Amino acid sequence: MTASPPAPMPSPAADDEIDLRQLAAALQRHWRLIAKVAGGTLLLSGIYAFTQPRVWEGQFQIVLASGDSGGGRLAQLAAANPMLAGLAGLSGGGSKDSLETEVKVLESPSVLKPVYDFVRQSKQRSGKNVDRMRFSDWVKSVDVELEKGTSVLNIAYTDTDKALVLPVIERISKEYQLYSGRDRRQDLANGVAYLKQSIATVSPKAEASMKRAQDYALSHGLGLQDGLPASSGSGSDAKASAGGSVEANRQQAQAQVALLQQQLASAQAAGNRVLFQAPQLEANAELYGRYQQLEAQLTQKRSVLRDNDDLIRNLERQRQSLISTLNRQTIGLLQGQLATAQAALQASSRPKEVVLKHRELVRQALRDERTLVELENQLQLAQLEQAKQADPWELISTPTLLDAPVAPRKSRILALGLLTGLVAGSGAALVVDRRSGRVFAGDELQHLLPGPLLAQLHPSATTESTGKLTLLARGALAGSHRVALIPIGLSSSSSEVQAVLQQLRSLLPHTELLCSDDLVAAKDCDHQLLITSPGAATRNELASLREQLDLQARPVTGWLLVERAEANAL
């Protein structure tokens, strides 16, 4: 008896691995189930597509932010008064966030409620039940979309009532145009009311503060200019300021006193030796003329005479006498002018507390007056903008009803139905194939069956199958007395088993061949050959067979895999 080779240990197969060929084979085996499911879903999709009412669509385009010629003035008004900057109609909002917010507002009941009421009444007149009709459900049929990178708004409305679509889309366009000027008018009205209220509050206050400043100035002999900072300018501005300001006169008198005191000190220091040159000499023109003549005569005589000459000495004594007289008269004039300037300084001087109080009152009065003037200017600007008729948002395409319905899209529904059927049918086929428990893959059979795969036989390839069996008979089965052929999942009388059995008998004429699934009877044979086909046995049957072979304690020579004729035909 020839010893059988030991059965190799099955390699650990990963049951969770996906083999695309096995999936394809499983789908091919259950193609009828897939066809039934796909056909059913295609039929249901067709029924749905052809029974749904047709949906019609109307659409138009509108420019969300129209050009406003007064936008610059409105922005200037908002910048001048921070309390007005929060009003939408006075702000230059054109940012992305404001546009997106505007789109949400256009979908709100505050804008579309009149259109919704019109649709509800129209459907009710046509005999439809509108008790369960809600704005939140209806507004889904209004599609408001901002075109990317622009302020152009695309609006579309869909409805199953074709005759209702165009009137509704026209009403939506009108409501949007009305809304475009509504906020501006409301904000301008609020701005005008706010400015009028502010003027009514500030005007009495400004009048009272001005009256307090004037009364205080009159009671202390001051003018409004005395409450202002001293003018830093020169020329005509400084002179104008000095002419009407007590404080300016006091400063001028103070400067005159200082100048006269300096001149007086210089004149007194001159004595009798040097003539003090001052503008006051014009008052003594006669003496000053004699002095100039004497000075000229003295200069001439010195050019021809000596200094110790009697004539030179006489002229020198006359010169000193004239200098003394002129200096005394100049000092007298300076003292008189100084007294006058000191009197003027005393007359224009005010206590420090009076000057500071007067300055504070004048500053408050001027501040209130300036605030009042600014508010009046802002009110005038706001009233001009309020009187101007603003253009509504511009329609760049008229409301139009599309020629063809937009739904239902029959071809798409049928395609989706067919695709859904194919996916569902494939899933069902894989589930059915898995739950059947039958093993079709050769890799899984090698894992579950003991012994090696000796040959894979194809009924259509008779010559190839005969060659493989010949090699087996002359190799592993050569010289055997008894050989057991054990069908697995196949009947002993099946065509596959009988074909292999007849070929082995012709190749082994002197060997007794036993074809039975009785392992007890097969135990006494020299070789045990297992024979099966893809899908012939279940996993439970293969597990039970392996357990019985382990109990038999006899090695299996190997197994044969016979492809089924119908499988090859597929």
Side-chain angles (χ1 to χ4, degrees):
M1 181 177 69
T2 304
S4 302
M9 293 297 293
S11 60
D15 294 337
D16 295 336
E17 290 184 356
I18 298 177
D19 190 338
L20 296 179
R21 290 178 298 177
Q22 294 182 20
L23 288 177
L27 297 177
Q28 189 177 18
R29 287 191 295 270
H30 299 283
W31 66 271
R32 292 185 178 85
L33 175 61
I34 297 174
K36 290 179 181 179
V37 175
T41 56
L42 182 62
L43 178 61
L44 293 177
S45 300
I47 295 174
Y48 173 81
F50 286 94
T51 56
Q52 285 295 308
R54 293 188 296 179
V55 178
W56 301 88
E57 180 179 297
Q59 58 186 12
F60 68 93
Q61 287 182 315
I62 193 170
V63 179
L64 196 60
S66 61
D68 185 5
S69 60
R73 293 191 297 272
L74 291 177
Q76 181 181 2
L77 177 61
N81 196 328
M83 296 300 296
L84 301 177
L87 301 177
L90 301 181
S91 62
S95 64
K96 177 181 178 183
D97 293 339
S98 63
L99 291 178
E100 292 178 352
T101 303
E102 199 77 49
V103 171
K104 293 300 180 183
V105 173
L106 294 177
E107 296 176 345
S108 64
S110 62
V111 179
L112 294 180
K113 185 63 166 58
V115 183
Y116 164 74
D117 294 337
F118 169 75
V119 174
R120 185 183 177 91
Q121 294 173 2
S122 300
K123 290 183 178 292
Q124 190 173 17
R125 285 195 299 267
S126 62
K128 295 181 180 179
N129 186 6
V130 295
D131 294 339
R132 295 185 178 181
M133 185 177 177
R134 299 291 182 269
F135 179 84
S136 57
D137 298 328
W138 171 82
V139 77
K140 295 178 182 178
S141 60
V142 181
D143 182 23
V144 181
E145 181 181 357
L146 185 65
E147 195 164 330
K148 186 176 180 180
T150 67
S151 59
V152 176
L153 206 61
N154 299 318
I155 297 97
Y157 174 73
T158 56
D159 202 307
T160 55
D161 189 352
K162 181 179 180 180
L164 190 61
V165 173
L166 190 56
V168 170
I169 204 70
E170 290 176 347
R171 284 179 175 268
I172 292 176
S173 66
K174 292 179 181 178
E175 290 297 330
Y176 282 178
Q177 288 184 310
L178 290 176
Y179 166 76
S180 65
R182 183 182 65 187
D183 283 353
R184 182 181 182 277
R185 291 190 297 271
Q186 182 177 357
D187 291 338
L188 283 173
N190 293 337
V192 169
Y194 168 76
L195 291 172
K196 288 182 177 179
Q197 182 180 1
S198 300
I199 291 174
T201 303
V202 173
S203 181
K205 182 179 178 182
E207 184 177 354
S209 60
M210 181 61 71
K211 187 176 185 301
R212 284 195 300 269
Q214 290 175 345
D215 292 343
Y216 191 84
L218 292 175
S219 63
H220 292 86
L222 297 172
L224 287 179
Q225 291 183 353
D226 296 315
L228 301 176
S231 176
S232 59
S234 60
S236 60
D237 294 338
K239 292 179 181 179
S241 176
S245 172
V246 175
E247 176 64 17
N249 294 334
R250 186 192 67 79
Q251 292 177 359
Q252 185 177 1
Q254 186 175 8
Q256 183 69 17
V257 168
L259 176 62
L260 290 173
Q261 288 176 345
Q262 183 180 3
Q263 290 178 347
L264 182 60
S266 300
Q268 291 174 348
N272 298 329
R273 305 294 299 177
V274 179
L275 179 65
F276 177 70
Q277 300 289 337
Q280 288 78 6
L281 291 175
E282 296 179 359
N284 297 318
E286 182 180 354
L287 290 177
Y288 185 67
R290 290 173 57 189
Y291 167 78
Q292 288 177 332
Q293 291 176 0
L294 183 61
E295 187 72 24
Q297 185 179 1
L298 182 61
T299 302
Q300 180 184 4
K301 295 299 181 180
R302 279 179 176 174
S303 62
V304 295
L305 299 176
R306 294 186 179 188
D307 292 338
N308 55 4
D309 189 90
D310 293 338
L311 182 59
I312 298 296
R313 289 179 179 181
N314 185 31
L315 293 175
E316 185 69 29
R317 285 192 297 270
Q318 293 178 15
R319 175 178 174 274
Q320 291 179 357
S321 176
L322 285 175
I323 290 176
S324 177
T325 302
L326 287 172
N327 284 346
R328 283 197 308 271
Q329 291 183 359
T330 299
I331 291 173
L333 290 173
L334 288 174
Q335 289 175 345
Q337 292 179 355
L338 178 60
T340 303
Q342 288 176 340
L345 177 63
Q346 182 66 27
S348 60
S349 296
R350 299 291 185 275
K352 181 179 179 181
E353 296 77 8
V354 173
V355 173
L356 293 178
K357 178 66 174 177
H358 179 248
R359 182 171 297 177
E360 178 64 25
L361 291 175
V362 171
R363 184 164 54 247
Q364 180 65 37
L366 294 179
R367 184 189 305 117
D368 294 341
E369 184 69 19
R370 184 167 53 251
T371 302
L372 179 61
V373 171
E374 290 179 356
L375 288 174
E376 290 175 346
N377 292 337
Q378 293 172 10
L379 176 61
Q380 184 179 11
L381 178 59
Q383 288 175 337
L384 287 175
E385 290 297 328
Q386 190 178 31
K388 186 180 67 174
Q389 184 68 30
D391 295 332
W393 289 344
E394 180 185 0
L395 286 175
I396 59 176
S397 67
T398 57
T400 306
L401 176 65
L402 300 183
D403 296 334
V406 295
R409 300 181 178 178
K410 298 181 178 62
S411 58
R412 177 179 295 184
I413 295 175
L414 292 175
L416 291 176
L418 179 60
L419 179 61
T420 303
L422 291 175
V423 173
S426 300
L430 295 176
V431 171
V432 170
D433 191 78
R434 185 67 179 176
R435 287 187 176 182
S436 66
R438 297 191 176 275
V439 181
F440 293 91
D443 295 340
E444 189 174 2
L445 287 173
Q446 288 182 5
H447 171 60
L448 297 175
L449 289 175
L453 174 61
L454 299 176
Q456 187 172 357
L457 307 177
H458 299 273
S460 59
T462 307
T463 304
E464 181 182 357
S465 300
T466 302
K468 292 180 179 180
L469 291 176
T470 301
L471 293 175
L472 179 60
R474 294 179 181 179
L477 303 181
S480 302
H481 297 287
R482 298 186 66 192
V483 175
L485 190 62
I486 304 173
I488 303 173
L490 298 174
S491 173
S492 301
S493 59
S494 64
S495 59
E496 295 89 347
V497 176
Q498 289 298 320
V500 174
L501 184 60
Q502 290 177 7
Q503 291 184 7
L504 288 177
R505 283 176 178 171
S506 62
L507 295 172
L508 299 170
H510 303 294
T511 301
E512 181 182 354
L513 296 174
L514 174 63
C515 181
S516 173
D517 55 0
D518 186 359
L519 297 182
V520 177
K523 181 180 179 181
D524 298 332
C525 296
D526 298 333
H527 294 278
Q528 296 183 103
L529 293 178
L530 306 179
I531 181 171
T532 187
S533 294
T538 64
R539 294 178 181 84
N540 293 333
E541 292 175 350
L542 295 177
S544 176
L545 172 65
R546 192 180 188 100
E547 183 180 357
Q548 293 177 20
L549 290 173
D550 292 340
L551 294 174
Q552 186 191 59
R554 285 291 304 278
V556 176
T557 303
W559 54 283
L560 303 175
L561 180 62
V562 181
E563 298 288 348
R564 291 188 174 183
E566 54 270 21
N568 293 330
L570 290 174

